[in-house]
Amino acid sequence: MKLRDLGEDRLLDQLLPHLPLGKTLKAFEAGAGDDCAVVKTPTGRNFLVLKTDCVVEEVHFMSEADALDIGWKAMMRPLSDFAATSAVPQFALVTLVAPKETEVAWIKKLYRGLRRAAERFKVSIVGGETSSTRGPIVISVSVVGFVEKNRCVLRRGGKAGDDLFVTGRLGGATKRRHLQFAPRIAESRWLTKNFSIHAMMDLSDGLGVDLPRLVRASKVGFKIELENLPLSRGAKIDNAISEGEDYELLFAVSPGDRSRLQRGWKKKFPNLSLTRIGSLNRKSRIENRKLPRGYVHFQQPG
Amino acid sequence: MKLRDLGEDRLLDQLLPHLPLGKTLKAFEAGAGDDCAVVKTPTGRNFLVLKTDCVVEEVHFMSEADALDIGWKAMMRPLSDFAATSAVPQFALVTLVAPKETEVAWIKKLYRGLRRAAERFKVSIVGGETSSTRGPIVISVSVVGFVEKNRCVLRRGGKAGDDLFVTGRLGGATKRRHLQFAPRIAESRWLTKNFSIHAMMDLSDGLGVDLPRLVRASKVGFKIELENLPLSRGAKIDNAISEGEDYELLFAVSPGDRSRLQRGWKKKFPNLSLTRIGSLNRKSRIENRKLPRGYVHFQQPG
């Protein structure tokens, strides 16, 4: 069987149960499969949070894209997973794999993009590697940081009855915005400071792929009010569900917090919309069908 | 200018001074350029240690190599840098970039190699990413761990007069051994537990490239007794100096510790040689010429 036929999610599912946890098994809070890996350390008061993500030429960016934008995106992708976990990123490692023919000027511009993104969130790039290749350029960024034990949010805490919210607007990101987005770290930190957020993730692959992940992890069902989806200018419901690259937050919170959340958000983030798009419920296959099945496209590159 | 014309060392030199350290500047002990990044954290008693490394098809391994060996090597490379720093590795993130045509059986074997290597050193693989590519396979492994503040060894602490030691034997590794080596973590931890090691690194690119790095970082000169180099079976002095991939430790320690070190080592590691290959001295260009200049090959792939 080829990688193509299996898809990334199922591959990771098959690989992960076998990953060694050794003596740190009990120290392990959430591993691969959630947005970040979250681990206990013997001495730390906080959880250690780890995430790696990569961008590949011709898969995540076109060769002619601006190197500054590519660097920005390469750093922002793992940082968006920190937002999903409500974690604070601190240190980054950058691996660049590029052909020997690559212009040094291009690489410097790429690093300017990486640095600009890192500085925006007070992240220090503390190390890196470069290697040559005969193939497309690969930029891999690993980020390490922390989250307070009582503010760590995973995908798996959603409860039946919870409201489902998304930040910002969905759809149309793949055209240009995907290279210039800013992770919702400030928003995520504000949420966990002021509310009990039950489950959260960032929308990188599209609501149609990502929501089922949150729901599966939380062992609940969901009901989405499609007519309430906050659409980007020019985007249709199809785009909002299936395109991905929005990097907005999707989270579950008790309906008891609804009005306080909506009022507080408007005051704190007047320029960013927050929309209740539906709710979680007891597992029900019929309800889940409301999100058209065709949109779930596990075989997409990336 | 192309990447080929500049070389990796000089590229990193140019990129690194500009890396943002932000508010963590003071927290920063050793960044890119040393074997690992070593950082202070606000709450930790120990330093946090970070390292990323990658292996690329046709650069670090041939396509027909055993996937088990490739996985082993991909994990062991960053772990060898932990040995160089006398740090304890704890958590690893794995990124796999592979064509869609890659056999899933091959990937599973690769992960078996990664897991086997991780288990050997009690490291937990806590996360990972996969991406498709149209090019060669890239496996990037990032490792996070710790080192006690008084046991952290960098490249830059060597003093004039220090003895220079290497573990094991050098040369001939590129044929097969490079896929199966074991990082000298136990040896490194024993060294810093019992001795004041002034400077240390692992020999990944060959003594001819690596020793000048340690010497530059320590701002000293060196004198190598070529006839004393511990050669692998069948290897010549040329191989020991220029081939690389030995992953043995090179370290500097006061000559006052010499006899206690040599006695203690023999008892603790009877099956691994420890050889005094020379000494550090005050910076002197003439002495440095004793290591034939032609062996310093900054343009090598990897």
Side-chain angles (χ1 to χ4, degrees), chain A residues 1-3 8 14 18 24 32 43 45 51-52 58 102 104 108 115 124 126 129-130 134 142, chain B residues 1 3 8 14 18 21 24 32 43 45 51-52 58 101-102 104 108 115 124 126 129-130 134 142:
Chain A
M1 191 192 294
K2 310 283 189 184
L3 182 52
E8 183 184 340
Q14 292 196 14
H18 305 285
T24 54
T43 59
R45 284 178 309 183
K51 179 66 190 186
T52 190
E58 290 172 43
T102 311
V104 170
K108 288 187 175 176
R115 285 198 304 271
S124 300
V126 293
E129 285 295 313
T130 68
R134 295 185 197 173
S142 296
Chain B
M1 192 193 292
L3 182 52
E8 182 184 341
Q14 292 196 13
H18 305 286
L21 298 174
T24 53
T43 58
R45 283 178 308 180
K51 178 66 190 187
T52 190
E58 289 170 43
E101 295 73 37
T102 311
V104 169
K108 288 187 176 176
R115 284 197 305 272
S124 301
V126 293
E129 286 294 314
T130 69
R134 294 184 199 173
S142 296

Side-chain angles (χ1 to χ4, degrees), chain A residues 1-6 8 11-12 14-15 18-25 28 30-32 37 39-46 48 50-54 56 58-60 77 90-105 107-108 111 115 118-119 122-136 138 140 142-144 299-302, chain B residues 1-6 8 11-12 14-15 18-25 28 30-32 37 39-46 48 50-54 56 58-60 77 90-105 107-108 111 115 118-119 122-136 138 140 142-144 299-302:
Chain A
M1 191 192 294
K2 310 283 189 184
L3 182 52
R4 166 203 297 128
D5 310 318
L6 190 64
E8 183 184 340
L11 175 67
L12 286 177
Q14 292 196 14
L15 294 173
H18 305 285
L19 293 179
L21 298 173
K23 288 195 170 170
T24 54
L25 183 59
F28 190 71
V39 293
K40 275 184 204 158
T41 58
T43 59
R45 284 178 309 183
N46 299 321
L48 191 68
L50 306 94
K51 179 66 190 186
T52 190
D53 218 329
C54 66
V56 180
E58 290 172 43
V59 176
H60 301 95
R77 273 166 56 99
Q90 296 176 291
F91 306 107
L93 300 168
V94 176
T95 297
L96 170 65
V97 180
K100 285 188 193 303
E101 295 75 37
T102 311
E103 289 288 342
V104 170
I107 296 177
K108 288 187 175 176
Y111 268 80
R115 285 198 304 271
E119 278 165 9
K122 297 192 176 73
V123 170
S124 300
I125 301 176
V126 293
E129 285 295 313
T130 68
S131 174
S132 60
T133 178
R134 295 185 197 173
V138 177
S140 165
S142 296
V143 180
V144 175
Q299 308 297 324
Q300 276 228 338
Chain B
M1 192 193 292
K2 311 283 190 185
L3 182 52
R4 167 202 298 127
D5 310 317
L6 191 64
E8 182 184 341
L11 175 67
L12 286 177
Q14 292 196 13
L15 293 172
H18 305 286
L19 294 179
L21 298 174
K23 288 193 172 173
T24 53
L25 183 59
F28 190 71
V39 293
K40 275 183 202 159
T41 58
T43 58
R45 283 178 308 180
N46 298 323
L48 191 68
L50 305 94
K51 178 66 190 187
T52 190
D53 218 329
C54 66
V56 180
E58 289 170 43
V59 176
H60 301 94
R77 273 168 57 98
Q90 296 177 291
F91 306 108
L93 300 168
V94 176
T95 297
L96 169 65
V97 179
K100 286 188 190 306
E101 295 73 37
T102 311
E103 290 288 344
V104 169
I107 297 177
K108 288 187 176 176
Y111 269 80
R115 284 197 305 272
E119 277 165 7
K122 297 192 176 72
V123 170
S124 301
I125 301 177
V126 293
E129 286 294 314
T130 69
S131 174
S132 60
T133 178
R134 294 184 199 173
V138 178
S140 165
S142 296
V143 180
V144 175
Q299 308 298 324
Q300 276 230 340

Side-chain angles (χ1 to χ4, degrees), chain B residues 72-94:
Chain B
W72 177 272
K73 179 175 182 176
M75 179 62 67
M76 287 312 188
R77 273 168 57 98
L79 294 189
S80 185
D81 290 302
F82 271 72
T85 313
S86 192
V88 178
Q90 296 177 291
F91 306 108
L93 300 168
V94 176

Side-chain angles (χ1 to χ4, degrees), chain B residues 29-30 34-38 47 49 80-88 146-158 162 187-193 195-202 214 218 249-253:
Chain B
E29 287 296 307
D34 217 298
D35 292 284
C36 290
V38 180
F47 289 137
V49 180
S80 185
D81 290 302
F82 271 72
T85 313
S86 192
V88 178
F146 73 91
V147 64
E148 301 86 350
K149 288 180 185 178
N150 59 349
R151 289 176 74 178
C152 175
V153 188
L154 305 177
R155 294 179 180 178
R156 66 178 177 226
D162 279 356
E187 293 80 0
S188 165
R189 294 290 294 169
W190 178 84
L191 284 171
T192 61
K193 191 179 172 193
F195 299 91
S196 169
I197 306 300
H198 295 164
M200 187 155 60
M201 67 185 302
D202 66 322
L214 183 143
S218 293
L249 293 175
L250 167 70
F251 62 91
V253 62

Side-chain angles (χ1 to χ4, degrees), chain A residues 240-251:
Chain A
I241 292 181
S242 63
E243 276 182 359
E245 305 267 357
D246 295 304
Y247 297 104
E248 296 292 348
L249 294 174
L250 167 70
F251 62 90

